[in-house]
Amino acid sequence: MNLRQRAGGRASHAPPQPRVSDYFNIIPIHDLLTNHPCLRYPEVRASADALRSTGDLRKPPFTPWNESLDLLDWLGLFFGFQRDNVRNQREHLVLHLANSQMRLHPPPSAVDRLDPGVLRRFRQKLLKNYSSWCSFLGKRSQVRLPHHHNPNLQRRELLYVCLYLLVWGEAGNLRFTPECLCYIYHHMALELNYILDDHFDENTGQLFVPSTCRQFGFLNDVVTPIYTMMKSEVRRSRNGTAPHSAWRNYDDINEYFWRRRCFKRVKWPIDLNCNFLSADDSARVGKTGFVEQRTFWNLFRSFDRLWVLLILYFQAAAIVAWAGRAYPWQALESRDVQVQLLTIFITWAGLRFVQSILDAGTQYSLVTKDSKLIGVRMVLKSVVALSWCVVFGVFYGRIWSQKNFNRSWSYEANQRIFVFLKAALVFVIPELLALLLFIIPWIRNVIEESNWPILFVLTWWFHGRTFVGRGLREGLLDNIKYTIFWVVVLASKFSFSYFLQIRPLVGPTRALLDLRNVKYKWHEFFTSTNRMAVVMLWAPVVLIYFVDLQIFYVIFSSLVGSTIGLFSHLGEIRNVEQLILRFQFFASALQFNLIPEDQTLRSEGTVVHKLRNAIQRVKLRYGLGKPYKKMESSQVEATRFALIWNEIIITLREEDLISDRELELLELPPNSWDIKVIRWPCVLLCNELLLALSQAVELADAPDRWLWFRICRSEYRRCAVMEAYDSVKYLLLEIIKYNTDEHSIATKIFMDIDDHIRFEKFTGAYRTTVLPKIHEQLISFINLLLLPKKDMDKIVIALQALYETAVREFPRAKKSVSQLCQEGLATRNPNTDAGLLFENAVQLPDDADAFFYRQLRRLHTILSSRDSMHNVPINLEARRRIAFFSNSLFMNMPRAPQVEKMMAFSVLTPYYDEDVLYGKENLRSPNEDGVSTLFYLQKIFADEWENFMERMRREGMQDDGEIWTTKTRELRLWASYRGQTLSQMDIRQGSQELNPPSMLKQNGGSINQSSRSLNSQRLSRAGSSVSLLFKGHEFGVALMKYTYVVACQMYGVHKGKGDPRAEEIFYLMKTNEALRVAYVDEVLLGREEVEYYSVLVKYDQQLKKEVEIYRIKLPGPLKLGEGKPENQNHAIIFTRGDAVQTIDMNQDNYFEEALKMRNLLEEFKVTYGIRKPSILGVRENIFTGSVSSLAWFMSAQEMSFVTLGQRVLANPLKVRMHYGHPDVFDRFWFLTRGGISKASRVINISEDIYAGFNCTLRGGNVTHHEYIQVGKGRDVGLNQISMFEAKVASGNGEQVLSRDIYRLGHRLDFFRMLSVFYTTVGFFFNTMMVVLMVYTFLWGRLYLALSGVEDHANENSSSNKALGAILNQQFVIQIGIFTALPMIVENSLEHGFVPAIWDFATMQLQLASLFFTFSMGTRSHFFGRTILHGGAKYRATGRGFVVQHKKFAENYRLYARSHFVKAIELGVILIVYASISPLATKTFVYIAMTISSWFLVLSWIMSPFVFNPSGFDWLKTVEDFDDFISWLWYKGILTKAEQSWETWWYEEQDHLRATGLWGKLLEIILDLRFFFFQYGIVYHLRIAEGNTSIAVYLLSWIYLIVAVGIYIVIAYAQDKYAAKDHIYYRLVQFLVLVITVLAIVMLIRFTDVDLVDFIKSLLAFVPTGWGMILIAQVLRPFLQSSVVWETVVSLARLYDLVFGLIVMVPLAFLSWMPGFQQMQTRMLFNEAFSRGLQISRILTGKNSNTIS
C-alpha cells in the first residue's frame, strides 16, 4: 500500500470549531462518575487519580487553572502542547497503567492506589533509549528523581513519563528520528526541572517559563522548524530520482544527534539559523554517519569478510589442485605448495586495500572540518593495507630468491618462511582477537555497550562510533548452534567446490595452455597463450563457485527447519481423521492452553509449577492417562469445552465454510436429556454404536463385565452406547404422556434395565441378540418423528412394536400377561375403553421446538450412521483450519492468563484507496469472456456458495433472485470475504480477538446453559453467548485490552467527495465497536494555506453516529517519505496497549487463532537466548492458492518462506527480521526507537524489513511462533506477481546501498553475517548471478567456437572433461532448487511425504518450472538495474481476481526489457553457436550443453502467454496483434505509455536519466557485447575467404552504414513526399530496391557469397544495431538535440516491431494449433471453473447474473 501523491480532492471547509463536550475513545476519563464498564475497575480510577495529584505545583501562567485539570493538562499549558494531544495521551497513559496494575500477581494491597512498581517499570522502559543516548554522549540525564521515601517521587515520575508521551504524540514525522526526540526531550525535561525547582530565568529575573508556553507553542517552535528542513531535503531528492548522497533522509537527520556537537549547533531554544536547519547549499549540513552510493561494490564493502573467505579459499584450492595430486593433503606435503599458499596473505592484504579504497571512495563526503578524524582513518587504512601488500610481496619474493639461489629448501630459505609467518601473525592479530571475543560473546557485549572513552580510542581504528550496532552478540548456546550450522554448510560447500569444480578444470586448463599453433578463425589480439580461452573456460565455474553457497544454505536450512518443525510437533494432526483419533486429548489440551489457571493455586515461575505443566503437556501430547475423565465428571469443565468448540464451529458456519448439516455433525451439544457422558461430536461417534451392537451379539452369553470391557476399549464407543441409551430413555419418557399407564410401563422397563446393568446381570437377563432388531425399530420410529407431517397412527404402531420386542423378545425369561401386569409391564385392564396401547398416550413437542428436534436428529445420526464421516467437513479450508488449530494445542506455548491479566494490544492496518467492499455492479459485470467476478467465485468456491445460499434461505430468503435485492449486502460481504479487501481482513474478527470473555476468564464458576442458544435455527452473531456475556464487566475489560485502528489516510477526502468507500468504512465502524479510523484531514484556510490534522473517529453506539475523538494538528503534509510507513506513523499515536500487531490489507484472521492471542502475548515475558522478544513473528497461511495454478505456485513458494524459512532464521540463525505484516511488536520498545518501519524515500521502499534491521541493530530480539497463524493473500496473476517481484527485488537493490545492511554486515559476528546475507540481499544477488552465469557460459562457448579454439581442441578429450565440470551445475540451478526443496520438505512435514511429492509432480505438469524460471528473470533484472541505476518505486499490483485476458501489447510493455530481449539475445547466441561449433554435430553433446539455456529462453518468452487466461485463443491473438501494431505506430501528444510506443520507450529510459557517470559507463561497457557478434561472424562468411586481417572487420561496417543509409533515405522520402507527392516517394522506394538488388546480384556473381552468408549477416549486424541504440539511449542528453536522434527513435521502433514479431510467432502457432487453448485453461484454472468457463462462453449475451 502506498500513500501516493494526490493531485486534487482537497477538503475545503472551515477550521474545526471548539467542541462543547468531549467524545471519548475508550474510557471517559473526563467523567469518572459515569456508568461505563471500564470504570468499574479500581485500577482505572487509581491511575486517573494519580494524574490528578497536582498538589502544590506552580500554576501555569497566562491561563486560568481549574482544579479538575491534571498533570497532563499542567504540562500541556506550560509547554504548549495541543489540547487533543493531551487528551489522547491521558487515555493512553491511564489505560497502560491500569492494565499493568491489573496484571500484578499477587495483586497490590491497595488496589485503589497506583502501585509504585508499575510506574517505575514503565518509566524505565519508556525512557531506556533516552538514558542510553545520554550515556552514549556523556550527558547527564535530566530525569532526576528524589529519594524513594520522598512523597513527590510518584508525581515527578509521572511528569517525566507524561512529558515524553506528549512530545512523542505531537512530533509528527519526527517520530522517525528517535534520537532527535531524545534531544528535544532532554531540553524539555531540563525546563521541567527548572519549573519544579522554581528556577529563575537569568534574562528576565522572573520564575522560569518555557519559550513554548503558548497555544501550539511546541508544534510551531520545535516540530515545525525541523519538519520544514526535512521537507526541503525531500525536495532536493527530486521525487526520489536524485542520488541518495545529494540529500539527507530521516536516518541522516537522526544521526546528527549521535554527536555532542548537536548541543552547540542546534542549541535550545532551537536556533532557526543553525546549519542543521539551513537549506542553503553553502551552509547546510551534509550527510551524517553514512553516505549511500549506488554501486555493486556495496556488496563487497558490506560483506567483505564473506568475500575474503571465498576468494582466499578459491586461491588456496586452485594452488593445491594445480599440484596435480589425488588428494589435497598429499599436495600439502610439498614445500613448494606450502610456500605458494602464503600468497593468500598478499591477496588478503590486497582485499583490505580494496576495502579501504571503497570506504574512502564512497564515504569521502562525510569528512568535514568537524570530522577530520574520519578522513585520517581512511588514509591510514589505505596506507597500512598497501604497506602490508608491499611487506608480504617483498618477504614472499625473498623466500623464492633464497630457494632459487640454494636450489633447495635450505635452512636460510626456511628461516625466511618463518619471517613471513611472523609477519602474518601480526597481520591476523585483529582476527584472532575477534575470534576470542566470539567465543566469549558477553565480554564483547560489555565492551561495546560501555561508554568509557578509553574504549572509544581502542576501537576507533576498526569502526566509527555509532549509537546503534553495539552489543549484538548472542548467548553462548545460540552461538554454538548457528556456528555448527554454518561450519557444516561451509565444509560441504568447500569440499564440493574443490573436488567437483576446481580440480576437474586443472587438466583442461593445462591442455589449453599447452596447445600450440592454434589456427584462429579471426584476428586474435592475444595469440600464442590461449589465455582468453582459459578465462572463458573458468568464468562460469568461478561464478558458480561464488553462488552455490546459497544452494548449500537452502539444503541445510531445509533439513534443519524440518527437524525443528518435527520437534515443535508440527504436522502431527494433518487432517480430520487424525483429529478424531486424538479428539478427547484435544479437548483437554484446549482447556489446558486456553483456560487460565486458578490464580490462587498458581505459583508462577517456580520450578515445580513449570515441571507440572511440562508433565501435563507430555501426557496430553502422547495420550497418556485419561485427562478427559476429569472433564466428564465436571459439568463446568464439559461446558467450558463445549462453549469454545461450538463457537469455533459456528464461526465456520457463519463464514459459509460448512453447511447446517455439518454444523450439527461437528458441534458438541450441551449436556441435556439426562445424558451422563460427554456428548462428543457426531463425526466421532459414527459407526460406533453398530460396532457395539455387533460385539453385544458376539458376546451374547458372556458376562457383563467382559462385554463392557470390550466396549470401553474405545472411548467414543462407550459414549455412543451410553448417550444412545440415555437419549432413547429420555425421548420415550418425554413423548409419552405423564400419569398414563404407558408412561409407567416405559419407566418400569428402563428401571429394570438400569438395575440389571448396575448389578452386572444385564447379559444374563436379556438377549443381546435382539438388540439389532430394537435398533432397527428405533431408527424407523425416529424417522417417523422427523417427518414434516407426523402420522400418529404409524408412530403408535412403531411404539407398539418396540413395546412388544422389549417385553416379549428381549428378556430371556418368558412371562405371561398376568406376570407382566403384576410387574407393571402391561396395563392391568386391557379390555377397557381406553383403546390400544399408546393410542392416546403420545404427545409430541411442537414443531417450533427446534432444540428437541436438533437433539432428535443427533440421536438419529448416532443410531443410523454406518460409515466413516472422515470427509466431514467437505470444505478443504475448514478441514485445514480445524486440523491446524487442534495440532497447535499440542505444541509448546505459554498458558493463557485471565483476560484481566493479559497484555493489552492493538491492531494497526494502513489503508489508502483499495476496495473496502465489492460493489454490486463489480460482481455482476462480465468481462470480455462473459465471466463475472461472482461467477468466478461461484466456481472456485462452489461448496461455500451452496452454504451461503443455504444460510440465506434459512434467514428468510424465499427466492434466489432476492440475492440481488434484499440480500445484496450479504452477497457483497460474502464475495468481499473471499477477496483481498478491507472488510475481508480481521476487522470482521476484531471483536473476537478476546472472544468469548467468559471462556477465557473462568475461575471455576458454572456457566449458564442458556448463554448459548444452540437450538436456534438462526445462527446470528447477535444471539451468541459472546454478545450476551459482553454485557457485564467483561465488556469493559475487552475494550481495555483490545482496539483496532485503520489508518485510512484518504477517508476525509472520500467523505468530501461522497465516495462509496467512505460509506463502507462507516459501515465497518458501525458493526465493529472496537474499530477506530485515523485519517488526515486537510483544511483549506485560504487560497494557498492548508492545515493538516491527524483525526481519529469512531461510531458512537449510543448516539448512533460517527463522532470525532481527537484532532491533532500536523506541521505539514503527511507524506515526506514512503507512503505506507508515513500512514502507519500518523496513526500509531492512537493505538493502545503493550503490543501492536500490524495487519496489512491482504491479510485475514481466524476466530480460533484469535483465541491464542493471550498465549502469544505472554511470549514477551519469556527470555529467548539472552534477550526477551521485541517482535513476535507469526506464521502465515496463504489463502489464495486455490484461485489458479499460478496462485498455487506462488502460494507454495511463499508458504515455504513464511514457515520453514522463518523458523530457521529465528532458531538457530537468530537473524529473523520483520518480513510479514502480522508480526506483533513490543509497542513501547519501538515507539521510542523510531517506530515500526522506516520511511525515507526510495531507500526504504521495502519498509517492513527495516523494522527488523532496526530492531537487531538496537539490541532487540525477533522470535517466530508457529502455534498461531494469520491468513495472507498473494497476487494471483502473472502480471501482478511480476510487479510484486519487481518491487521486492528493487527494494533489495536499495537495501544493498543502505546503512542498515552495512552495519549488520560489520557489527554482527561472522556467522550471523552469513545468515543475514544469504537470507536478504544475497538471495537476490545470487539469483542475478545465476542468470549472469548462463550468459557467461554461452558467451564463453561462443567465443571458443568463433575463435576456432574449440575446433582445434575438439579432438582433445580434456575439453570434454571441462565441459562436464560446468554443465550439470548450471542445470541444477536452472530447475529451481531455490524453491523446490523447501517446498517439498515443508509439505512433507505438514502433509506427509507422499502428498508432498504428488503436489510437486502436479506442479511440474502444470509448468511450475516455467513460472519459477520466469520469476528468476524478473528478480535478477530489477535487482541489478536498481543497484546500477536506481529507479526503485512502489508498484501497485492490485488485489483483484485475475480472470481477464491481458493483451499482447500490455505483456510486451511489461516484459520486453526484462525478459523478451534477453531471451532473444540468448536464442541468437545458441543459434550462432549451433551453426558454427563442431560440437553441434554431436547432437547429444549439444543438447546436454544447451538444454537448460533453451529452457530459459522458452520460459522467458512463453510464460506471459502460458499463464494468461485465453492466451492461446486464435481470435484474441489476432486482435492482440492488431492492437500491438496500432500501439507501436501511434503518434500523439501527451499520450500515456498504454497508448503510444514512443511514450513507453522514453519511460523505459528513466533509470538512465537518474543514474550517475559510473552507471552510464558500465551500461555502455555492457552494451558493447552486441558488437562481438559482428566481429566473430564476419570472419566465418565465405566472402571473407578465410582472411583473418582486422581489415575484414572494419570493412564489414560498410554494410551496416549502407543499411542505415538506406533506412534514412526511405524515412526522409516518406516525411517529405509521402503526404503530397506520393509518386516521388514510390520512385525513391523503387530506386533503392533496384540498387539493393543489383548490389546483391553483383555480390553473388563476383564473390563467393551465398544465401547462408546473408542469414549469417543478419545475425551479425542486427545485434550491432541494437547495441548502437542502447548506447545512444545512454548518450541521450548529447544526442537528443541532434538530427541523429530521430533516426535512433525510428530504428528503435523497428527493432521493437521485430522483437514483437519474434515473440508473436510461437504464440500464433500454438493459438492456431487445435486443443492448446482448452489444455491451457484446464492447466491454469481448476476443473470446475474450466467447465464453467466453457458454459459461460456458450451463454454469452444471456443473463450473466443468474445465480447458479
Side-chain angles (χ1 to χ4, degrees), residues 696 699-702 704 707 725 748-758 760-771 774 805-813 815 823 825:
L699 301 175
D701 299 323
D704 282 20
L707 174 59
Y725 173 73
K748 177 61 177 174
I749 292 174
F750 286 114
M751 286 179 59
D752 289 347
I753 294 175
D754 290 342
D755 289 340
H756 286 99
I757 292 174
R758 185 181 309 112
E760 297 184 358
K761 296 180 179 180
F762 180 77
T763 55
Y766 296 99
R767 293 189 180 94
T768 56
T769 54
V770 181
L771 286 175
I774 297 176
T805 305
V807 173
R808 304 290 184 184
E809 300 180 33
F810 192 34
R812 290 184 180 272
K815 298 179 182 179
E823 295 179 7
L825 297 176

Side-chain angles (χ1 to χ4, degrees), residues 270 452 477 909 1067 1182:
I270 293 177
W452 300 339
L477 181 60
T909 295
Y1067 171 79
I1182 313 302

Side-chain angles (χ1 to χ4, degrees), residues 1285 1326-1328 1330-1331 1334 1373-1374 1376 1378 1411-1421 1459 1496 1500:
E1285 296 273 13
N1326 289 323
T1327 301
M1328 185 188 67
V1330 169
V1331 176
V1334 176
I1373 296 172
Q1374 281 297 108
F1378 292 117
F1411 164 73
F1412 291 131
T1413 305
F1414 186 84
S1415 295
M1416 182 177 65
T1418 305
R1419 290 193 292 266
S1420 61
H1421 172 79
H1459 293 82
L1496 184 142
W1500 283 6

Side-chain angles (χ1 to χ4, degrees), residues 1229-1257:
W1229 195 95
F1230 274 93
L1231 69 82
T1232 59
R1233 291 167 175 83
I1236 57 176
S1237 55
K1238 286 193 174 186
S1240 298
R1241 284 302 295 271
V1242 182
I1243 192 77
N1244 296 143
I1245 189 171
S1246 297
E1247 77 293 329
D1248 50 358
I1249 197 172
Y1250 284 93
F1253 292 162
N1254 189 41
C1255 176
T1256 302
L1257 287 169

Side-chain angles (χ1 to χ4, degrees), residues 660-667 681-684 861 869 872:
D660 289 344
R661 175 60 177 161
E662 289 174 329
L663 170 68
E664 294 183 2
L665 295 176
L666 289 168
E667 72 171 354
C682 288
V683 293
L684 307 180
T861 301
M869 293 187 184
V872 175

Side-chain angles (χ1 to χ4, degrees), residues 96-98 100-101 104 114-123:
H96 178 72
L97 294 177
S100 299
Q101 186 151 330
L104 289 180
L114 180 62
D115 185 78
V118 169
L119 179 58
R120 182 177 63 255
R121 286 187 292 272
F122 179 53
R123 188 255 309 163

